[in-house]
Amino acid sequence: MQIHVVEKGDTLWHIAQLYQTNMNQIILVNQLENPNVLVVGQALVIPEPSREYVVQPGDNLWAIAGEFGVTVGELAEVNNITNPALIYVGQMLQSPSIQHTIQPGDTLWQIAVDFGVTINELIQVNNIPNPSMIHVGQMIRIPNRNKPIAEVNAYTTQMDEQGRQEVLLLGRNFTYLTPFTYSIRSDGSITDLQDLQVLEAARATNLSPLLVLTNFVEGSFNSDVVATIMRDVDLQEKLITNLLNTMREKGYSGVNFDFEYVYPEDRENYNNFLRRVVARLHPEGYIVSTALAPKISGDQQGLLYEAHDYQAHGEIVDFVFLMTYEWGWAGGRPLAIAPINEVRKVLDYAVTVIPRDKILMGIPLYGRDWKIPWEEGTIAQTVSPQEAVNLAGHYGAAIQYDETYQSPFFRYADEIGQRHEVWFEDARSVQAKYDTVKEYGLRGLGYWVLGSPFPQNWPVLQENFTIRKY
């Protein structure tokens, strides 16, 4: 897989010729609604024909495996496909190996160097008894390069049939699914969530669902309701009992606490609550995790930050999800949603107090469209990456790329002359984020939120990581 940035004069035919690939494969993997309209600055994912194949209408896994010269089981395993009959148009599948014909002068050592694998891997995959006994014209298989293993979490707010279908389509890319949200009540009970459809899809794609428990009340995070619980041990025990009962009933694998705007005086109360949760959930095999605001120091001021004790959470829970996004928030000035320079500041602090193998880095699956000049009190419109590119195409805007933020953006004027500025994510910006996850040696990453079409993200994710499944 490669990333191509559209230049002036590019056509899809020209791009396909440049990369010696099939034009229809590019259309499908990028979900191009109008292949005749390319936007200058648009990032396209380009499948590599020898290693990758994008599912087309009428395809089945058996035929695709045959084209790659591998078994259905091998192809399903490398692509985290639990049901070989369940593949979708537009999915990019990776072959576990490619075929190579021995050329005059080839040695097994040189082939291993050229393809970035070891001689032992070549010997094992091809059952070669004597490495020096290979001959011109012989066909051998080259295994894929080993990729780092990562855990991936995805939040979803869609509990209907559309949400179920999206989990079925994308579930092979995730370790955990976190349906948002169950909420606490001041009497220690929790609200219900109509999550059965997405939980069914999670089981079908071998996902570990985590129950998201928040202090989200009537459309916003409520500091008082969480304070009531944190200051009463008996209410905490009642809440944990109710939590356990729901997890058992629904088949959850663990819990993700997303308590936001907790009063600073409840910082240690929150830590002690988590210790009680772990003491009761771990013996039953449940995972305990938390979502934390993006802090750059331990003494960072503000209601969003002060009660989130990075070091304590790193010691108590199984992993933390860092909400490293929303710099470009709907009520603020135009800005990249997750500028990589700001994300790195959070990680620079986080890794000093939380073990790296307990950190998931948050990644946004959305962008925003602001009216400019920006005025205080105005609210930006949230757009998907796919919608952002379509906007640029509709208004004839060229997409630019900010190297400091590692984020694409563009400006346009609408039908009434109102000017806009749009920041979003593309294949380049998520590649920068995946490079950061690898550079910092993190446990993995997580997305907020499904339901925002971003087709380029998934092949880029596949290219970078092997996704852990439990």
Side-chain angles (χ1 to χ4, degrees):
M1 184 224 79
Q2 298 184 69
I3 297 172
H4 177 83
V5 180
V6 174
E7 299 179 353
K8 188 175 182 179
D10 271 352
T11 66
L12 214 52
W13 182 87
H14 169 260
I15 295 169
Q17 294 298 305
L18 180 66
Y19 292 96
Q20 298 183 321
T21 189
N22 181 285
M23 193 166 71
N24 195 47
Q25 292 274 288
I26 300 175
I27 293 170
L28 286 170
V29 77
N30 291 281
Q31 294 182 22
L32 299 179
E33 296 175 10
N34 186 349
N36 296 317
V37 177
L38 296 180
V39 180
V40 173
Q42 175 182 4
L44 296 173
V45 167
I46 312 295
E48 187 178 344
S50 61
R51 292 182 181 271
E52 298 153 346
Y53 178 80
V54 184
V55 177
Q56 303 184 89
D59 276 343
N60 62 66
L61 208 60
W62 289 264
I64 298 170
E67 289 295 320
F68 278 132
V70 299
T71 68
V72 170
E74 289 173 322
L75 188 59
E77 181 180 2
V78 78
N79 288 283
N80 282 334
I81 295 173
T82 53
N83 181 354
L86 197 65
I87 60 173
Y88 294 87
V89 173
Q91 281 185 327
M92 192 182 80
L93 303 180
Q94 294 184 323
S95 175
S97 62
I98 63 172
Q99 295 181 333
H100 174 75
T101 303
I102 302 296
Q103 304 295 315
D106 271 353
T107 66
L108 216 56
W109 177 83
Q110 188 59 53
I111 294 169
V113 170
D114 290 345
F115 287 95
V117 297
T118 67
I119 291 179
N120 285 339
E121 287 174 321
L122 290 177
I123 292 171
Q124 184 176 7
V125 167
N126 295 281
N127 295 316
I128 298 174
N130 186 344
S132 62
M133 296 295 288
I134 58 173
H135 56 83
V136 173
Q138 180 182 352
M139 187 77 73
I140 65 171
R141 291 170 59 184
I142 313 293
N144 280 333
R145 299 179 183 90
N146 289 327
K147 295 177 287 188
I149 297 172
E151 292 189 0
V152 178
N153 176 56
Y155 286 92
T156 181
T157 58
Q158 298 185 107
M159 304 300 139
D160 55 8
E161 176 61 20
Q162 184 178 347
R164 186 182 80 90
Q165 288 294 334
E166 186 172 30
V167 174
L168 289 174
L169 171 65
L170 299 176
R172 66 192 183 96
N173 299 297
F174 311 138
T175 311
Y176 308 107
L177 181 73
T178 40
F180 191 91
T181 174
Y182 288 82
S183 298
I184 59 173
R185 296 191 181 103
S186 56
D187 64 355
S189 63
I190 64 175
T191 60
D192 193 19
L193 186 65
Q194 301 303 312
D195 50 7
L196 295 182
Q197 289 192 78
V198 294
L199 291 178
E200 175 194 339
R203 285 189 289 272
T205 51
N206 194 25
L207 287 175
S208 298
L210 304 180
L211 186 152
V212 182
L213 191 61
T214 69
N215 56 321
F216 200 70
V217 180
E218 296 180 351
S220 62
F221 288 93
N222 187 298
S223 304
D224 292 329
V225 69
V226 74
T228 299
I229 300 296
M230 293 301 112
R231 298 171 188 180
D232 189 319
V233 173
D234 291 336
L235 283 177
Q236 291 179 34
E237 293 296 342
K238 181 180 177 182
L239 175 63
I240 297 168
T241 297
N242 288 326
L243 173 63
L244 272 167
N245 290 339
T246 302
M247 291 166 65
R248 291 172 185 140
E249 176 191 346
K250 297 285 187 75
Y252 276 98
S253 301
V255 62
N256 177 248
F257 292 104
D258 182 13
F259 292 160
E260 300 188 27
Y261 298 99
V262 180
Y263 291 125
E265 55 266 34
D266 287 317
R267 175 184 173 116
E268 192 55 33
N269 291 336
Y270 188 13
N271 294 340
N272 287 330
F273 168 73
L274 291 173
R275 293 183 179 100
R276 291 187 182 92
V277 170
V278 167
R280 290 188 60 182
L281 267 62
H282 272 183
E284 297 197 33
Y286 289 112
I287 298 165
V288 180
S289 62
T290 57
L292 296 177
K295 297 175 65 166
I296 60 173
S297 68
D299 57 359
Q300 187 166 338
Q301 300 296 301
L303 184 60
L304 181 63
Y305 308 102
E306 292 179 55
H308 284 185
D309 187 334
Y310 272 35
Q311 183 168 349
H313 286 234
E315 293 168 355
I316 298 166
V317 303
D318 298 301
F319 67 83
V320 300
F321 174 85
L322 298 183
M323 295 183 281
T324 40
Y325 42 80
E326 283 293 286
W327 276 268
W329 64 290
R333 296 177 181 276
L335 182 64
I337 310 299
I340 200 66
N341 58 324
E342 299 296 338
V343 171
R344 292 175 68 94
K345 291 177 186 177
V346 176
L347 294 177
D348 285 342
Y349 165 62
V351 297
T352 65
V353 289
I354 303 173
R356 293 170 191 258
D357 62 0
K358 284 191 174 187
I359 298 174
L360 298 187
M361 187 184 98
I363 296 175
L365 293 180
Y366 59 92
R368 290 219 165 92
D369 180 338
W370 286 265
K371 292 180 180 179
I372 56 173
W374 180 79
E375 295 181 3
E376 187 80 42
T378 58
I379 302 297
Q381 180 181 355
T382 299
V383 296
S384 72
Q386 193 81 326
E387 289 171 328
V389 173
N390 290 342
L391 271 174
H394 179 74
Y395 290 105
I399 295 171
Q400 303 175 65
Y401 193 77
D402 189 291
E403 295 293 340
T404 300
Y405 297 157
Q406 290 289 302
S407 181
F409 71 99
F410 61 92
R411 300 182 183 94
Y412 72 93
D414 63 23
E415 288 80 0
I416 63 172
Q418 173 65 56
R419 296 177 63 233
H420 295 250
E421 183 169 320
V422 180
W423 290 85
F424 63 107
E425 300 292 334
D426 70 2
R428 293 168 292 179
S429 68
V430 292
Q431 180 61 65
K433 290 173 174 61
Y434 298 148
D435 288 340
T436 302
V437 170
K438 290 184 283 189
E439 177 187 343
Y440 281 80
L442 306 181
R443 182 187 187 104
L445 56 117
Y447 299 113
W448 179 267
V449 55
L450 299 185
S452 185
F454 186 9
Q456 293 82 10
N457 178 61
W458 312 114
V460 179
L461 175 68
Q462 285 178 263
E463 181 75 10
N464 281 273
F465 300 105
T466 295
I467 310 304
R468 178 175 282 124
K469 293 280 189 175
Y470 289 108

